[in-house]
Amino acid sequence: MSRKWVYLFHEGSAKQKSLLGGKGANLAEMTNAGLPVPPGFTITTEACNQYYQDGRVISDEIIEQMKKSLNVLEEKTGKQFGNPDNPLLVSVRSGAVFSMPGMMDTVLNLGLNDETVSGLARLTNNPRFAYDSYRRFIQMFGDVVMGVEHYHFEKIIQAKKAQRGVKSDPELTAEDWQDVITKFKAVIFQQTQTAFSESPIEQLLQAVTAVFRSWHNHRAKIYRNIHKIPDHLGTAVNVQLMVFGNMGDDCGTGVAFTRNPSTGENYLYGEFLLNAQGEDVVAGVRTPEPIAQLAEKMPDIFEQFQQIAQKLELHYLDMQDIEFTVERGTLYILQTRNGKRTAEAAVKIAVDMVGESFINKEEAILRIDPDQLDQLLHPRLDPDAKLEVVTKGLPASPGAASGEIVFHADDAEKLAGKGKAVILVRPETTPEDIHGILAAKGILTSRGGMTSHAAVVARGMGKACICGCEQLKIDLRSKEVKVGGYVFHEGDLITIDGSTGRVIQGKVPLIDPVLSPEFTELLSWADEIRKMKVRTNADNPEDSRKAREFGAEGIGLCRTEHMFMELNRIPIVQKMILAETGDERNEALAELLPMQREDFVGILEAMDGLPVNIRLLDPPLHEFLPNLEELLVELTKLQMTPDADRLEMIRKEALIRKVRALQEFNPMLGHRGCRLGLIYPEIYAMQTQAIFEAAIDCLQRNVPVEIEIMIPLVGHVKELTEMRRLVEQIGSEIEKSSGLKIPYTVGTMIEVPRAALTADQIAEEADFFSFGTNDLTQTTFGFSRDDAEGKFLHAYVDNKILPENPFVSIDLDGVGKLIEMGVTLGREKKADLKTGICGEHGGEKRSIEFCHKIGLDYVSCSPFRVPLARLSAAQAVIKQENK
Amino acid sequence: MSRKWVYLFHEGSAKQKSLLGGKGANLAEMTNAGLPVPPGFTITTEACNQYYQDGRVISDEIIEQMKKSLNVLEEKTGKQFGNPDNPLLVSVRSGAVFSMPGMMDTVLNLGLNDETVSGLARLTNNPRFAYDSYRRFIQMFGDVVMGVEHYHFEKIIQAKKAQRGVKSDPELTAEDWQDVITKFKAVIFQQTQTAFSESPIEQLLQAVTAVFRSWHNHRAKIYRNIHKIPDHLGTAVNVQLMVFGNMGDDCGTGVAFTRNPSTGENYLYGEFLLNAQGEDVVAGVRTPEPIAQLAEKMPDIFEQFQQIAQKLELHYLDMQDIEFTVERGTLYILQTRNGKRTAEAAVKIAVDMVGESFINKEEAILRIDPDQLDQLLHPRLDPDAKLEVVTKGLPASPGAASGEIVFHADDAEKLAGKGKAVILVRPETTPEDIHGILAAKGILTSRGGMTSHAAVVARGMGKACICGCEQLKIDLRSKEVKVGGYVFHEGDLITIDGSTGRVIQGKVPLIDPVLSPEFTELLSWADEIRKMKVRTNADNPEDSRKAREFGAEGIGLCRTEHMFMELNRIPIVQKMILAETGDERNEALAELLPMQREDFVGILEAMDGLPVNIRLLDPPLHEFLPNLEELLVELTKLQMTPDADRLEMIRKEALIRKVRALQEFNPMLGHRGCRLGLIYPEIYAMQTQAIFEAAIDCLQRNVPVEIEIMIPLVGHVKELTEMRRLVEQIGSEIEKSSGLKIPYTVGTMIEVPRAALTADQIAEEADFFSFGTNDLTQTTFGFSRDDAEGKFLHAYVDNKILPENPFVSIDLDGVGKLIEMGVTLGREKKADLKTGICGEHGGEKRSIEFCHKIGLDYVSCSPFRVPLARLSAAQAVIKQENK
């Protein structure tokens, strides 16, 4: 049975996105909506998959259907492939289901050869245009289809310009281009041992194959990895009649958004270039003019375009990103798609569209990708900072970033891997730079506009980006950039402000973001809808306050070990650990008690009666002691020194013995958590006392408190029984001596598999469960995060052994199953058991959706992720209802 | 409502063991069977629990019932408490549900005071006996009831003997004892500030309280811990009319077993002492005569006793351990219970009793505690070894052991904790030495017979033991022992042969045990019954052969890392790991290949067609590299040496860098198992090639093979998919080049929770699952065994946080639940999935029972535990059927 592999544009519709790809479906939709779309056809994604299934061969059946559609196209346009009198020229573009800008290859002007080019020259009466088009075609075809590297062609053009003593391409004549074309063909043959094909149908087949092939090229894979796009979708190919924006000054090409993609403001926003092809705009080689200028230069076209833009937005009920070309005064719409936008714009557009009655609140909430919100919650430049602004470029992606200058993507990746903040500075970026953009804090380019590669990608990733900063003189070889009187070298610190386009010398202090009114409104809608509470992980008053500003409804995890690590406390903590007698230990603990109490008073005050979940000491004690390796080296040095202080040596040896005694083979699985509390109950007793005394202090000043005492790392119910008894004993003593009732509960973290597996038993002693998904992931997989991420986890994700890093998004099949089991078993035994999550997953959208699905009471995450979690929790409700 | 707290012997029965304790139930049973049992009554275990519940107070109701029973006893005997004319004297003994020899305290002759003693003297016409009895009573009462240490009394007796110039107790007169009694009372008051009570009823209440209290004394707790006896059972107290074996030469006392408890041979076996109380036999202070001598000394009594012994064995259908006393020519049976026995005896008795139609085969199998079998499978002295026998004692517990001499239980524990093999050498042992016996490889005493404390306890534990080796002159203070011309000091090596009683100088080579015919028969019955196969863990031909002799039906786990560790290979392995280039690595692997192949050829030959499960490399690579700390110290020394070899320093620095790069925070959760195979496929490829080439080598010589290739540490099905592909690719290449088909399957270890949780997914790629319960226990609990056992696990077990060490017996609630889930999910997807267990639990009886219950196909354990596993697997079937 034969399948339909090829669809003429009018045969498709927007609903067939998975078959025709995003671009193809839109072209069909626009064609059927009566928009001026150049005719063409789409080869389906199924054909792409079939190509791989057949061992990278396009089947005869598919070729047959392509040829048939080509015939229809020839009839419709009156042009023919290879006919010098009226040659049909087409563009060949990839079109995946999800937009992958810059990832897939495109070929324009296909159908040109030595014969048809002369026909084109005749028909347009413009030989220069024809030969220029021809050489562009050969260049692109040679590059993306035949794999000849770009610089071979550039070298030939540079040589020609030098020979002719001109500076820019337009100065070259038709004859010049003819000469270039000959050389282009020669270089192709030299590089590939294959001649450039003069047969248009052969060209078409090669180009389609190249598009199919590009689905599996390196940068496409990376992009899919980042954006979680499955490999099996495949790409469609769109073959479309060429229209020319570069036939003269009554021609042009441009890209426009129906609203401002940076701010979300509702006006036509974009750029155009007269006498240019679309590639010139996107590639950022020439800096285009704002779209508003089109109203002056081509008022009719502008008017027509504005109407089409409005129509498209209404049609798709979303902000559109539209590519257009004007060929000799006729407007063609080449493409429309939902426009990529900054988080700020996304929020504003969604909220505005509710106001405009385009969409409802639920839809507005679903429109925002919580991951993207991160950028709104990132620090901005301190307005009070004295700035040494060295230049200004286009504000391509908002947010501020400071870092060391790097000039190459590889260097960016390398330094970021070492924990350095870097700013990637390039003349322009290409899809090959994607790993460097990913690694950098910000991107700065000297060329390209708001829709250039760097700008689009950076906005997608929420990175600060400045484009088209033309005053920069970048020398990639000597790794320096000059601007005005300044010279910066690799490693020098700069700051970029992607919201204003300012480039600033040195590192600038950043301040916390404030939520926009639209964002606040959107979050208030989310709050109405969501079922789960959102808490924060915080262990000091400042973070607690910040989190409340962002809407946190309590503290889900207050770690007490950070309090032990403070500089003035660590000697006391060490004294406690190294104590030889119980008295010594208690003395040290008595010193720590008032400090801990003050910590808790501050946090309880900041939370003002919201629940505060405090986890008793968790890490193994050796974390608070000096490093063994260093001690050994120091001791050896002493031993090798003739007149070394013998007392010092003895002291060091004793310390080494103690450190060694506490050392562990696998600290992650060692003597920590409640295992500490059981062996050294005096430590937990001190902490509990500090908490309860802090509570009494607050209550006496009429500051309300709600305390949850969390016992970490429980694996067997009896661990909790013992520790609960300790807490309750101290609680009742302090309640008795103060005469006040402390509102507190006792529960546990579920962070080892056994706890989840025996949750019914544990629930009998627990008032709440908090799922510690970091450790639960470690133990369920048997992965030490510290080791895995450096040694094999990245390779696992890259090679698709794991669908994604389980420390980022909850592994549903394994860890998720355990969590669900824990909740179900726990609630069977205790219906009102409070449940929450406090691992890093508590701030990740898919994990939050999962938490909602299994009915947790709350999620807890870092302060800056609280708004994201509020939104995600609402989305989870809407998605569930929509099912 | 009032409860019955006290039972006269005739009111009870053997069925009321949990209420009356083992001893009480037996006394009731014997009384009702018409045996000559001195009358008395039992205070129930419920009364003991009530005592603790009431805050360590005996309630009035219980006291009331005791007094009533006492009245009955007075009526029955015509004697009265405190009546100088005809005083009632009783023994007070503990009697727990499970026999706990030597663990609980006993008081004899209760009822004596300054008045009744003179009555007793009159009645017996033997003042010396009366005052000796009185002083014994005060001594025992002072010790176990009032807590005055034993040596206070011994000192007084020694002084008296010195004063009177005599050597032994019998030489002291009635007057001497009267003097001793006065001094005893004084020392009691001096030590306790409390007078010895002259009131018999007060004495009784104090003694009963002491028995109750002793349920929670230190050594009772240790015993219960070792033998897994629950704390809540409590102990009963038996109050029984005293009969006297020490009234003269027509009196005596003894202990006998109905069969030999060492060998199982069917004849009356035991010891007696004329003119002595029972304590003299058990305590081992005087060395008694064999029971056979009784036939000469008291022929009628011997005849009567033999008949009673046979009757009791038939009644209880098991070998009995009987205590008896002869008072002035009358035989009394004081106690009977199932006799403790060596494993050898247990097996022989069980098999014999099947032959005698006492019990059936199933019952015989259930009679053997698999844990005990260990001792049968322990090494014996090499018969060809030249032995320097220094002396001979009683062969109290079979098996041989070599070790360093220690003289104190604490030292035994300390040195054993450091991994030393020790022999505990003592004049005699007491219940206080139990931790030392537990720690020692063997026990050697100079006093006491086959039923002395050391002998009974050692047999129960399966330790080699020699008793009553009277030639030994042990000096505990100077820590030396002299015998003949030899002097041994602490730390000197000796060997004891508990089967013959020989004490041998130095360390003697040991040889492997051979199974007795009875044992072989019992195991053949077990084999008929059991459903699970029993395999062995072995990674060399020798162990493989040994395991087959013990009945192993295949290899369940062949670890390949031990092969890498061999001395001549480690440099090549290090070269492989430190390789800078792929070529270097492949070169090292090529060197390892033929070695690995030879390993596998040997193992496959040994197993001769039985399944051999080979696990590919599992441990992290840094385990094969030098120790980082040592390297750092060496480097520092070089750096501090003025003329150090600079090249050596550079080499060392490079090595440190590499070791550091491979170092891990948590190696247990790090880059190991299939994670190695995925990142360095060339290692697994080499191993697979070696396995398959070995298989071909065997097949070509008509040696059949059945290979299971096991991929370790799989957590996600895709890990297995990838590794399976690698194995199959190499397999098909080797099959093609050899023209032979290799019978092999590919499967995985289930050893991280995620594997069990997603077993349905993993089963799609696995032919078998082998549960690696060591690692699964580590990850499920979040315990690192290396750290936990040293740092907190013992405290956890001691304090009952955990019921037992989960690395010894599978934790059913947590780890067991995961295993069951893994089996169920796996079989849902693949009905014929082969399942087994290869952790250490595979040789532990309760774990084996669990494995049977959930339907595993096999268990695998170390070679020496194979017979144990065969028996356990059969017991599991019988227990399930009996339910």
Side-chain angles (χ1 to χ4, degrees), chain A residues 629 660 669 719 754 757 782 796 811 817, chain B residues 629 660 675 719 754 757 784 796 811 817:
Chain A
E629 288 177 16
R660 217 189 266 287
L669 306 177
E719 294 174 315
R754 198 182 186 283
L757 290 163
Y796 264 43
D811 156 54
K817 194 170 186 175
Chain B
E629 288 178 16
R660 218 189 265 286
R675 301 164 195 170
E719 293 174 316
R754 196 181 189 283
L757 291 163
S784 160
Y796 264 43
D811 156 54
K817 194 169 187 176

PDB file of all heavy atoms in Angstrom, chain A residues 629 660 669 719 754 757 782 796 811 817, chain B residues 629 660 675 719 754 757 784 796 811 817:
ATOM      1  N   GLU A 629      44.748  14.543  53.956  1.00  0.00           N
ATOM      2  CA  GLU A 629      45.913  14.573  53.073  1.00  0.00           C
ATOM      3  C   GLU A 629      46.849  15.712  53.452  1.00  0.00           C
ATOM      4  O   GLU A 629      48.061  15.545  53.540  1.00  0.00           O
ATOM      5  CB  GLU A 629      45.477  14.749  51.619  1.00  0.00           C
ATOM      6  CG  GLU A 629      44.835  13.504  51.050  1.00  0.00           C
ATOM      7  CD  GLU A 629      44.359  13.740  49.628  1.00  0.00           C
ATOM      8  OE1 GLU A 629      44.795  14.731  49.006  1.00  0.00           O
ATOM      9  OE2 GLU A 629      43.538  12.937  49.152  1.00  0.00           O
ATOM     10  N   ARG A 660      41.486  10.217  61.053  1.00  0.00           N
ATOM     11  CA  ARG A 660      41.462   8.912  60.408  1.00  0.00           C
ATOM     12  C   ARG A 660      40.348   8.038  60.991  1.00  0.00           C
ATOM     13  O   ARG A 660      39.675   7.301  60.271  1.00  0.00           O
ATOM     14  CB  ARG A 660      42.813   8.216  60.594  1.00  0.00           C
ATOM     15  CG  ARG A 660      43.248   7.413  59.388  1.00  0.00           C
ATOM     16  CD  ARG A 660      44.458   6.580  59.705  1.00  0.00           C
ATOM     17  NE  ARG A 660      45.722   7.218  59.363  1.00  0.00           N
ATOM     18  CZ  ARG A 660      46.167   7.370  58.112  1.00  0.00           C
ATOM     19  NH1 ARG A 660      45.445   6.977  57.102  1.00  0.00           N
ATOM     20  NH2 ARG A 660      47.340   7.917  57.880  1.00  0.00           N
ATOM     21  N   LEU A 669      27.079   7.263  52.616  1.00  0.00           N
ATOM     22  CA  LEU A 669      26.356   6.146  53.209  1.00  0.00           C
ATOM     23  C   LEU A 669      26.862   5.857  54.621  1.00  0.00           C
ATOM     24  O   LEU A 669      26.708   4.757  55.127  1.00  0.00           O
ATOM     25  CB  LEU A 669      26.547   4.883  52.360  1.00  0.00           C
ATOM     26  CG  LEU A 669      26.215   4.967  50.880  1.00  0.00           C
ATOM     27  CD1 LEU A 669      26.535   3.647  50.196  1.00  0.00           C
ATOM     28  CD2 LEU A 669      24.752   5.299  50.678  1.00  0.00           C
ATOM     29  N   GLU A 719      14.606   4.178  64.464  1.00  0.00           N
ATOM     30  CA  GLU A 719      15.488   5.353  64.521  1.00  0.00           C
ATOM     31  C   GLU A 719      14.658   6.586  64.866  1.00  0.00           C
ATOM     32  O   GLU A 719      15.045   7.415  65.701  1.00  0.00           O
ATOM     33  CB  GLU A 719      16.197   5.551  63.178  1.00  0.00           C
ATOM     34  CG  GLU A 719      17.162   4.433  62.834  1.00  0.00           C
ATOM     35  CD  GLU A 719      17.749   4.567  61.436  1.00  0.00           C
ATOM     36  OE1 GLU A 719      16.980   4.860  60.482  1.00  0.00           O
ATOM     37  OE2 GLU A 719      18.955   4.382  61.268  1.00  0.00           O
ATOM     38  N   ARG A 754      14.763   2.403  51.773  1.00  0.00           N
ATOM     39  CA  ARG A 754      14.073   1.641  52.798  1.00  0.00           C
ATOM     40  C   ARG A 754      12.998   2.445  53.498  1.00  0.00           C
ATOM     41  O   ARG A 754      11.984   1.901  53.933  1.00  0.00           O
ATOM     42  CB  ARG A 754      15.072   1.100  53.834  1.00  0.00           C
ATOM     43  CG  ARG A 754      14.466  -0.045  54.634  1.00  0.00           C
ATOM     44  CD  ARG A 754      15.373  -0.589  55.710  1.00  0.00           C
ATOM     45  NE  ARG A 754      14.768  -1.758  56.314  1.00  0.00           N
ATOM     46  CZ  ARG A 754      13.788  -1.720  57.193  1.00  0.00           C
ATOM     47  NH1 ARG A 754      13.310  -0.565  57.579  1.00  0.00           N
ATOM     48  NH2 ARG A 754      13.275  -2.832  57.685  1.00  0.00           N
ATOM     49  N   LEU A 757      10.030   2.285  51.293  1.00  0.00           N
ATOM     50  CA  LEU A 757       9.488   0.928  51.243  1.00  0.00           C
ATOM     51  C   LEU A 757       8.733   0.567  52.531  1.00  0.00           C
ATOM     52  O   LEU A 757       7.829  -0.253  52.520  1.00  0.00           O
ATOM     53  CB  LEU A 757      10.629  -0.080  51.027  1.00  0.00           C
ATOM     54  CG  LEU A 757      11.281  -0.059  49.632  1.00  0.00           C
ATOM     55  CD1 LEU A 757      12.631  -0.759  49.659  1.00  0.00           C
ATOM     56  CD2 LEU A 757      10.376  -0.728  48.606  1.00  0.00           C
ATOM     57  N   GLY A 782      22.107   4.201  43.126  1.00  0.00           N
ATOM     58  CA  GLY A 782      23.453   3.819  43.505  1.00  0.00           C
ATOM     59  C   GLY A 782      24.472   4.753  42.849  1.00  0.00           C
ATOM     60  O   GLY A 782      25.551   4.343  42.460  1.00  0.00           O
ATOM     61  N   TYR A 796      26.343   9.430  30.025  1.00  0.00           N
ATOM     62  CA  TYR A 796      25.075   8.690  30.061  1.00  0.00           C
ATOM     63  C   TYR A 796      23.957   9.478  29.386  1.00  0.00           C
ATOM     64  O   TYR A 796      23.149   8.916  28.654  1.00  0.00           O
ATOM     65  CB  TYR A 796      24.682   8.417  31.515  1.00  0.00           C
ATOM     66  CG  TYR A 796      25.091   7.052  32.029  1.00  0.00           C
ATOM     67  CD1 TYR A 796      26.349   6.520  31.740  1.00  0.00           C
ATOM     68  CD2 TYR A 796      24.225   6.287  32.792  1.00  0.00           C
ATOM     69  CE1 TYR A 796      26.720   5.279  32.211  1.00  0.00           C
ATOM     70  CE2 TYR A 796      24.586   5.044  33.272  1.00  0.00           C
ATOM     71  CZ  TYR A 796      25.846   4.539  32.985  1.00  0.00           C
ATOM     72  OH  TYR A 796      26.192   3.309  33.448  1.00  0.00           O
ATOM     73  N   ASP A 811      13.548  11.113  38.342  1.00  0.00           N
ATOM     74  CA  ASP A 811      13.429   9.883  37.561  1.00  0.00           C
ATOM     75  C   ASP A 811      12.111   9.215  37.946  1.00  0.00           C
ATOM     76  O   ASP A 811      12.003   8.610  39.013  1.00  0.00           O
ATOM     77  CB  ASP A 811      14.623   8.985  37.904  1.00  0.00           C
ATOM     78  CG  ASP A 811      14.334   7.512  37.641  1.00  0.00           C
ATOM     79  OD1 ASP A 811      13.934   7.197  36.513  1.00  0.00           O
ATOM     80  OD2 ASP A 811      14.496   6.703  38.577  1.00  0.00           O
ATOM     81  N   LYS A 817       8.627   6.191  41.521  1.00  0.00           N
ATOM     82  CA  LYS A 817       7.848   5.044  41.995  1.00  0.00           C
ATOM     83  C   LYS A 817       7.984   4.901  43.516  1.00  0.00           C
ATOM     84  O   LYS A 817       7.013   4.635  44.215  1.00  0.00           O
ATOM     85  CB  LYS A 817       8.372   3.784  41.298  1.00  0.00           C
ATOM     86  CG  LYS A 817       7.482   2.573  41.409  1.00  0.00           C
ATOM     87  CD  LYS A 817       8.008   1.500  40.462  1.00  0.00           C
ATOM     88  CE  LYS A 817       7.106   0.293  40.383  1.00  0.00           C
ATOM     89  NZ  LYS A 817       7.602  -0.667  39.365  1.00  0.00           N
TER      90      LYS A 817
ATOM     91  N   GLU B 629      47.421   8.355  49.901  1.00  0.00           N
ATOM     92  CA  GLU B 629      48.066   8.919  51.090  1.00  0.00           C
ATOM     93  C   GLU B 629      49.549   8.552  51.120  1.00  0.00           C
ATOM     94  O   GLU B 629      50.405   9.387  51.381  1.00  0.00           O
ATOM     95  CB  GLU B 629      47.400   8.392  52.364  1.00  0.00           C
ATOM     96  CG  GLU B 629      46.019   8.966  52.594  1.00  0.00           C
ATOM     97  CD  GLU B 629      45.366   8.386  53.834  1.00  0.00           C
ATOM     98  OE1 GLU B 629      46.085   7.798  54.662  1.00  0.00           O
ATOM     99  OE2 GLU B 629      44.143   8.514  53.962  1.00  0.00           O
ATOM    100  N   ARG B 660      44.522  10.710  41.767  1.00  0.00           N
ATOM    101  CA  ARG B 660      43.568  11.707  42.248  1.00  0.00           C
ATOM    102  C   ARG B 660      42.385  11.837  41.289  1.00  0.00           C
ATOM    103  O   ARG B 660      41.236  11.976  41.711  1.00  0.00           O
ATOM    104  CB  ARG B 660      44.264  13.061  42.414  1.00  0.00           C
ATOM    105  CG  ARG B 660      43.787  13.836  43.619  1.00  0.00           C
ATOM    106  CD  ARG B 660      44.341  15.236  43.597  1.00  0.00           C
ATOM    107  NE  ARG B 660      45.565  15.389  44.364  1.00  0.00           N
ATOM    108  CZ  ARG B 660      45.612  15.419  45.699  1.00  0.00           C
ATOM    109  NH1 ARG B 660      44.521  15.241  46.404  1.00  0.00           N
ATOM    110  NH2 ARG B 660      46.742  15.598  46.323  1.00  0.00           N
ATOM    111  N   ARG B 675      28.975   0.798  34.667  1.00  0.00           N
ATOM    112  CA  ARG B 675      29.359   2.179  34.336  1.00  0.00           C
ATOM    113  C   ARG B 675      30.784   2.213  33.771  1.00  0.00           C
ATOM    114  O   ARG B 675      31.116   3.072  32.973  1.00  0.00           O
ATOM    115  CB  ARG B 675      29.277   3.048  35.595  1.00  0.00           C
ATOM    116  CG  ARG B 675      27.879   3.049  36.185  1.00  0.00           C
ATOM    117  CD  ARG B 675      27.837   3.571  37.598  1.00  0.00           C
ATOM    118  NE  ARG B 675      26.564   3.206  38.216  1.00  0.00           N
ATOM    119  CZ  ARG B 675      26.281   3.348  39.505  1.00  0.00           C
ATOM    120  NH1 ARG B 675      27.195   3.863  40.316  1.00  0.00           N
ATOM    121  NH2 ARG B 675      25.118   2.985  39.983  1.00  0.00           N
ATOM    122  N   GLU B 719      21.434   0.508  30.140  1.00  0.00           N
ATOM    123  CA  GLU B 719      22.800   0.080  30.435  1.00  0.00           C
ATOM    124  C   GLU B 719      22.973  -1.367  29.988  1.00  0.00           C
ATOM    125  O   GLU B 719      23.974  -1.746  29.378  1.00  0.00           O
ATOM    126  CB  GLU B 719      23.067   0.189  31.942  1.00  0.00           C
ATOM    127  CG  GLU B 719      23.072   1.621  32.460  1.00  0.00           C
ATOM    128  CD  GLU B 719      23.192   1.708  33.983  1.00  0.00           C
ATOM    129  OE1 GLU B 719      22.503   0.946  34.690  1.00  0.00           O
ATOM    130  OE2 GLU B 719      23.966   2.542  34.462  1.00  0.00           O
ATOM    131  N   ARG B 754      16.873   0.825  42.087  1.00  0.00           N
ATOM    132  CA  ARG B 754      16.194   1.151  40.847  1.00  0.00           C
ATOM    133  C   ARG B 754      16.031  -0.064  39.945  1.00  0.00           C
ATOM    134  O   ARG B 754      15.074  -0.176  39.170  1.00  0.00           O
ATOM    135  CB  ARG B 754      16.937   2.261  40.097  1.00  0.00           C
ATOM    136  CG  ARG B 754      16.056   2.889  39.029  1.00  0.00           C
ATOM    137  CD  ARG B 754      16.737   3.973  38.237  1.00  0.00           C
ATOM    138  NE  ARG B 754      15.754   4.642  37.392  1.00  0.00           N
ATOM    139  CZ  ARG B 754      15.284   4.127  36.279  1.00  0.00           C
ATOM    140  NH1 ARG B 754      15.707   2.955  35.867  1.00  0.00           N
ATOM    141  NH2 ARG B 754      14.376   4.774  35.563  1.00  0.00           N
ATOM    142  N   LEU B 757      13.051  -1.850  41.183  1.00  0.00           N
ATOM    143  CA  LEU B 757      11.835  -1.067  40.940  1.00  0.00           C
ATOM    144  C   LEU B 757      11.423  -1.091  39.471  1.00  0.00           C
ATOM    145  O   LEU B 757      10.260  -0.949  39.140  1.00  0.00           O
ATOM    146  CB  LEU B 757      12.058   0.387  41.392  1.00  0.00           C
ATOM    147  CG  LEU B 757      12.176   0.611  42.907  1.00  0.00           C
ATOM    148  CD1 LEU B 757      12.805   1.963  43.203  1.00  0.00           C
ATOM    149  CD2 LEU B 757      10.799   0.511  43.562  1.00  0.00           C
ATOM    150  N   SER B 784      26.895   2.206  54.143  1.00  0.00           N
ATOM    151  CA  SER B 784      28.137   1.673  53.613  1.00  0.00           C
ATOM    152  C   SER B 784      28.591   0.627  54.615  1.00  0.00           C
ATOM    153  O   SER B 784      28.864   0.941  55.774  1.00  0.00           O
ATOM    154  CB  SER B 784      29.163   2.792  53.498  1.00  0.00           C
ATOM    155  OG  SER B 784      30.458   2.257  53.426  1.00  0.00           O
ATOM    156  N   TYR B 796      23.480  -0.255  66.833  1.00  0.00           N
ATOM    157  CA  TYR B 796      22.099  -0.380  66.365  1.00  0.00           C
ATOM    158  C   TYR B 796      21.513  -1.725  66.773  1.00  0.00           C
ATOM    159  O   TYR B 796      20.358  -1.810  67.179  1.00  0.00           O
ATOM    160  CB  TYR B 796      22.055  -0.245  64.835  1.00  0.00           C
ATOM    161  CG  TYR B 796      21.728   1.141  64.337  1.00  0.00           C
ATOM    162  CD1 TYR B 796      22.305   2.262  64.917  1.00  0.00           C
ATOM    163  CD2 TYR B 796      20.839   1.333  63.282  1.00  0.00           C
ATOM    164  CE1 TYR B 796      22.007   3.525  64.456  1.00  0.00           C
ATOM    165  CE2 TYR B 796      20.533   2.597  62.821  1.00  0.00           C
ATOM    166  CZ  TYR B 796      21.116   3.694  63.412  1.00  0.00           C
ATOM    167  OH  TYR B 796      20.803   4.941  62.953  1.00  0.00           O
ATOM    168  N   ASP B 811      17.101  -8.217  55.371  1.00  0.00           N
ATOM    169  CA  ASP B 811      16.078  -7.362  55.966  1.00  0.00           C
ATOM    170  C   ASP B 811      14.797  -7.541  55.153  1.00  0.00           C
ATOM    171  O   ASP B 811      14.662  -7.013  54.051  1.00  0.00           O
ATOM    172  CB  ASP B 811      16.561  -5.907  55.905  1.00  0.00           C
ATOM    173  CG  ASP B 811      15.431  -4.918  55.929  1.00  0.00           C
ATOM    174  OD1 ASP B 811      14.602  -4.989  56.861  1.00  0.00           O
ATOM    175  OD2 ASP B 811      15.349  -4.082  55.004  1.00  0.00           O
ATOM    176  N   LYS B 817      11.415  -6.771  50.451  1.00  0.00           N
ATOM    177  CA  LYS B 817      10.296  -6.239  49.660  1.00  0.00           C
ATOM    178  C   LYS B 817      10.758  -5.895  48.248  1.00  0.00           C
ATOM    179  O   LYS B 817      10.062  -6.165  47.269  1.00  0.00           O
ATOM    180  CB  LYS B 817       9.770  -4.987  50.365  1.00  0.00           C
ATOM    181  CG  LYS B 817       8.420  -4.500  49.877  1.00  0.00           C
ATOM    182  CD  LYS B 817       7.919  -3.434  50.840  1.00  0.00           C
ATOM    183  CE  LYS B 817       6.507  -2.976  50.554  1.00  0.00           C
ATOM    184  NZ  LYS B 817       6.047  -2.013  51.578  1.00  0.00           N
TER     185      LYS B 817
END
